[in-house]
Amino acid sequence: MIINMAVDVAALKRVLGLFVCLCVTRTSLQREDADGIVYSADGKDTTAFGSAKPMRFLLYDVNPGEGFNLRRDVYIRVANLVKFLNEDEPWTLVLPPWGRLYHWKSNIDQIKVPWGTFFDLESLGRHVPVMEYKDFIKMSGGAVIEEVYYLQRYKEGWKDGKWEERMDIRDCLDQNYYHKDEEGAWRGWFWGYEETKAKKLQCLSVQAQASSMKPFLMHNTTARSVMLDRAEELIHGAYSEWSIEWWTARRSMRFSKQLRDIADKFREQELDSTDEKDRTVLLEDWTKMRRKHGDALGGPYLSIHLRRRDYLYAHKEEVPSLLYAAEQIKSGLEKHKLKTVFVATDAPKEEFEELKGYLQGYKVVKYTPTKEVLESFKDGGIAIIDQWICAHARVFIGSYVSTFSFRIQEEREILGFSQDVTYRRFCPDGQLTCEQPSKWVVKYDEENQGRGLHTEL
Ligand SMILES: Nc1nc2c(ncn2[C@@H]2O[C@H](COP(=O)(O)OP(=O)(O)OP(=O)(O)O)[C@@H](O)[C@H]2O)c(=O)[nH]1
Ligand SMILES: *[C@@H]1O[C@H](CO)[C@@H](O)[C@H](O)[C@H]1NC(C)=O
């Protein structure tokens, strides 16, 4: 049994809670005789409920059609729900294994991928207590989830054409995702873990922000493990009201050390870019990190995210030809007196070669993984390496409304780049200017040293 702890000494008022929670966690772990790992920074403020309440587990899943980068946004909503729950009850977020993603086309095994492959669990744990699904199985003594709520829309749509918060148990609109086995247990995808079953399944029609699930989870169910499927149905709530919570959870989503190391080594070898020179040195503990616009300089290269493939059809009007993309790259390089461009793209090899052909006289760099790296870190890991390298460039140009580009912009915002070298995108052919991405400003929760939610529900 290992409990991973990183205590923030500044949060003295939480020290008592820390010990209480440690006891809770330890007893439940020992009782189950399991070696499950809970990543948790401070055990949350458990003083209010002492050791009386046992740990509960929240699991979730997302519509199978959603891509990697949107899923990361859904995590933020669910993590903040767990953060809220922990103000009153100890809950651990069970991380849904990755797999079966539409864009992950490399011919390798990519299901049941744990979160630790992509993200730094200790960093996630500084926001809310988290654990991998396989540890949940060990800890709860089997792959059994007590209750699944399948979130869905309202059959009749919005009431009077207006969106308003509501949730009701309703008949399931879509029966295809789960079925009952001979013993009466519910079976479904469950991230590829075939042995997993649920004791109870209900459909819940929701129009709600994630935090509104808190009273339901506290008062309408006593199950120790609850799964919310189709969690993307929950929304964040208005940005004006929720931006601090959003950014706090976002900052906790550090990439795994292994992936950062691979990308950093590539930066150093191919792009003459190191954190010291680029002024992008990170503190291991993100809760202590505060950076201002302009603090980061970035490596001596321009980076681009050029989304192709399905984007050519989905956003025909907004995607430039390769030739016109090259024109924009050149003008960016010249403006910033750079000679090197790093290209992140989902384009086939021929398209990359064509683009390179238009950029003679410049150094055009792309990251190509070795077979071992691809096998260990999968398509998701390669995407993260690309994102991390893009995030450290002196200037970044992204693709129109791509969540892949958005995640890079956020990373740059956290690193402290000035906004005019981050929030830029490729314009379609013939347009010298076009509508640029909206600028988001990283927010810190000063009262709580960035450790989470401060508003009362
Ligand atoms: N390695 C790598 N993969 C990419 C790149 N661009 C797109 N992809 C792949 O294509 C997927 C794009 O979809 P996502 O961004 O995940 O998901 P999405 O929500 O559909 O995002 P967009 O379609 O870009 O808005 C990524 O997850 C990657 O698998 C890139 O520059 N590098
Ligand atoms: C939760 O319980 C309350 C109180 O019994 C009830 O009014 C409410 O409808 C329940 N919520 C749902 C979604 O069933």
Side-chain angles (χ1 to χ4, degrees):
M1 181 193 71
I2 306 161
I3 295 179
N4 218 307
M5 302 287 305
V7 182
D8 181 346
V9 280
L12 273 176
K13 62 181 170 151
R14 292 175 180 267
V15 163
L16 182 58
L18 162 76
F19 287 116
V20 175
C21 185
L22 245 184
C23 304
V24 176
T25 319
R26 213 162 243 161
T27 348
S28 55
L29 277 166
Q30 281 167 347
R31 195 177 48 232
E32 318 277 4
D33 190 38
D35 54 356
I37 303 166
V38 180
Y39 289 89
S40 168
D42 62 358
K44 306 305 153 251
D45 198 350
T46 51
T47 37
F49 42 84
S51 54
K53 294 191 183 182
M55 180 66 77
R56 298 177 73 187
F57 300 93
L58 189 71
L59 302 93
Y60 77 98
D61 202 1
V62 176
N63 176 13
E66 302 295 352
F68 184 50
N69 289 296
L70 185 113
R71 283 166 188 268
R72 286 169 56 185
D73 193 66
V74 177
Y75 172 83
I76 292 179
R77 304 171 211 176
V78 181
N80 278 337
L81 167 59
V82 171
K83 186 84 189 179
F84 272 125
L85 283 164
N86 271 282
E87 288 173 356
D88 293 290
E89 289 184 347
W91 282 77
T92 292
L93 176 54
V94 181
L95 302 163
W98 296 93
R100 211 175 61 165
L101 263 61
Y102 166 78
H103 291 102
W104 292 359
K105 297 222 161 91
S106 292
N107 190 20
I108 47 170
D109 176 32
Q110 14 198 0
I111 60 164
K112 301 188 184 176
V113 183
W115 274 63
T117 306
F118 301 142
F119 296 97
D120 181 56
L121 296 184
E122 229 172 292
S123 293
L124 297 177
R126 289 180 206 276
H127 185 54
V128 288
V130 295
M131 78 186 335
E132 300 274 18
Y133 183 64
K134 61 174 174 35
D135 294 320
F136 166 79
I137 296 177
K138 282 186 212 149
M139 192 165 170
S140 57
V144 182
I145 300 167
E146 282 183 37
E147 294 181 355
V148 175
Y149 294 93
Y150 187 89
L151 307 185
Q152 60 180 16
R153 60 194 171 79
Y154 278 83
K155 193 176 181 188
E156 69 275 18
W158 298 359
K159 212 190 274 169
D160 311 320
K162 273 208 312 273
W163 192 93
E164 58 177 13
E165 282 252 340
R166 51 184 178 145
M167 63 180 71
D168 295 279
I169 298 290
R170 290 282 182 94
D171 289 338
C172 297
L173 299 177
D174 188 345
Q175 312 270 2
N176 296 329
Y177 287 100
Y178 294 89
H179 65 274
K180 253 188 180 160
D181 68 13
E182 296 94 63
E183 272 119 52
W186 290 95
R187 301 290 187 155
W189 163 243
F190 293 123
W191 317 284
Y193 284 81
E194 283 163 22
E195 68 275 30
T196 299
K197 50 191 173 191
K199 288 189 191 159
K200 182 177 155 189
L201 169 80
Q202 286 190 300
C203 287
L204 183 64
S205 287
V206 286
Q207 278 167 202
Q209 52 188 41
S211 57
S212 305
M213 290 302 300
K214 176 178 171 176
F216 178 82
L217 292 170
M218 283 182 62
H219 307 303
N220 294 57
T221 161
T222 55
R224 276 197 78 190
S225 52
V226 180
M227 169 173 171
L228 302 176
D229 196 355
R230 303 295 300 257
E232 78 283 358
E233 290 284 338
L234 301 170
I235 61 169
H236 288 295
Y239 185 76
S240 53
E241 199 183 324
W242 292 94
S243 52
I244 291 178
E245 288 78 9
W246 191 88
W247 276 106
T248 304
R250 177 64 183 81
R251 290 189 298 130
S252 78
M253 298 186 81
R254 282 268 178 93
F255 295 134
S256 72
K257 182 85 169 63
Q258 291 160 296
L259 287 174
R260 281 184 277 144
D261 285 348
I262 294 171
D264 288 343
K265 199 167 147 211
F266 184 87
R267 285 168 52 210
E268 182 163 13
Q269 289 174 347
E270 304 291 328
L271 298 162
D272 188 25
S273 160
T274 64
D275 288 335
E276 286 72 28
K277 282 193 284 192
D278 300 355
R279 307 206 306 256
T280 50
V281 177
L282 290 183
L283 294 180
E284 254 333 290
D285 180 355
W286 59 267
T287 64
K288 300 204 175 69
M289 232 180 84
R290 297 283 180 282
R291 308 212 73 195
K292 294 190 303 294
H293 291 138
D295 280 355
L297 172 66
Y301 61 100
L302 175 139
S303 67
I304 64 163
H305 173 233
L306 192 63
R307 189 75 162 77
R308 302 286 294 176
R309 299 201 189 252
D310 48 313
Y311 253 55
L312 300 183
Y313 313 101
H315 299 289
K316 207 181 296 161
E317 254 77 88
E318 298 292 340
V319 180
S321 64
L322 292 170
L323 182 61
Y324 196 59
E327 289 304 315
Q328 296 173 68
I329 293 169
K330 274 188 215 162
S331 86
L333 286 167
E334 262 143 47
K335 183 169 167 217
H336 293 273
K337 300 193 171 55
L338 297 167
K339 291 266 172 282
T340 306
V341 54
F342 174 79
V343 179
T345 184
D346 59 341
K349 201 166 184 305
E350 317 80 70
E351 288 188 8
F352 173 70
E353 293 302 328
E354 184 185 334
L355 179 76
K356 210 171 153 180
Y358 299 136
L359 290 165
Q360 272 160 31
Y362 298 99
K363 185 174 173 188
V364 183
V365 180
K366 188 174 161 23
Y367 174 77
T368 310
T370 60
K371 195 162 164 285
E372 291 73 39
V373 169
L374 180 61
E375 268 166 12
S376 306
F377 297 101
K378 328 284 178 193
D379 287 327
I382 308 314
I384 286 172
I385 292 170
D386 270 346
Q387 291 184 330
W388 191 244
I389 300 170
C390 282
H392 285 78
R394 189 123 342 140
V395 200
F396 171 67
I397 307 176
S399 289
Y400 176 70
V401 297
S402 160
T403 46
F404 191 105
S405 294
F406 292 159
R407 297 294 91 91
I408 294 170
Q409 289 160 356
E410 292 152 17
E411 214 64 54
R412 293 175 64 84
E413 191 65 31
I414 293 166
L415 285 166
F417 281 94
S418 107
Q419 293 201 315
D420 54 337
V421 291
T422 290
Y423 291 97
R424 306 175 62 175
R425 63 116 163 166
F426 283 104
C427 295
D429 277 27
Q431 296 187 19
L432 289 177
T433 56
C434 55
E435 200 194 341
Q436 293 301 304
S438 1
K439 293 178 175 157
W440 305 104
V441 180
V442 60
K443 293 272 177 66
Y444 298 100
D445 180 356
E446 297 305 342
E447 265 168 56
N448 268 326
Q449 291 108 41
R451 28 184 55 255
L453 311 181
H454 62 289
T455 38
E456 291 298 319
L457 258 184

